[in-house]
Amino acid sequence: MEISHIEHLGIAVKSLETAIPFYEGVLGLKCYSIEVVEDQKVKTAFFKIGQTKIELLEPTSPESAIAKFIEKKGEGIHHIAYCIQDGVANALAEVSEKGVQLIDKAPRRGAEGLDIAFLHPKSTASVLTELCETPKQ
Ligand code: ZN
């Protein structure tokens, strides 16, 4: 697989409304998109830093994986997403062949309409790892 850069860092927050002022007011970044991803029961806010993004994740339901993460570990870095140049499906097949445990056996639609898939932290030194399709420029 070919990774070009870190697509985004996912950060779990209890409230976007509380978290966004730090990124905008202190770091001087601009929130360019707020989007609900029904599938994952989260509301996301995106900031760009060069080619890389920060994705804040607020749970929209107690059933959300993000709600459970915050309950267990508190707010903080939740996952790292790599930008895959040659297709998420290809990358999944490749890592699966190498014995990596997958959360998603096939790509699904993530925030910003991009194909994504998660690898299991058991296979990634406990870092929840997301493979993300290259955004169309
Ligand atoms: Zn993500």
Side-chain angles (χ1 to χ4, degrees), residues 2 16 25 31 34 47 53-54 59 62-64 70 72 86 90 105 110 113-114 116 120 126 131 135:
E2 198 189 324
L16 290 182
C31 176
I34 290 184
F47 305 83
K53 300 160 189 164
I54 297 289
E63 297 308 304
S64 155
I70 292 173
K72 263 199 224 156
D86 41 358
N90 290 339
K105 306 247 183 297
L114 299 174
I116 61 154
H120 200 286
S126 296
L131 306 179

Side-chain angles (χ1 to χ4, degrees), residues 8 10 55 79 81 118 130:
H8 62 268
E55 175 188 41
H79 66 271
F118 283 97
E130 176 182 346

Side-chain angles (χ1 to χ4, degrees), residues 19-76:
I20 286 172
F22 168 74
Y23 291 89
E24 290 197 323
V26 179
L27 299 185
L29 303 173
K30 178 92 193 78
C31 176
Y32 69 90
S33 165
I34 290 184
E35 183 189 343
V36 173
V37 184
E38 296 290 353
D39 185 41
Q40 291 169 64
K41 299 186 177 71
V42 292
K43 196 158 125 190
T44 63
F46 278 95
F47 305 83
K48 251 184 212 134
I49 305 160
Q51 272 189 295
T52 301
K53 300 160 189 164
I54 297 289
E55 175 188 41
L56 301 182
L57 300 147
E58 176 196 296
T60 56
S61 147
E63 297 308 304
S64 155
I66 296 299
K68 287 172 187 159
F69 176 89
I70 292 173
E71 206 174 283
K72 263 199 224 156
K73 302 186 176 173
E75 294 178 299

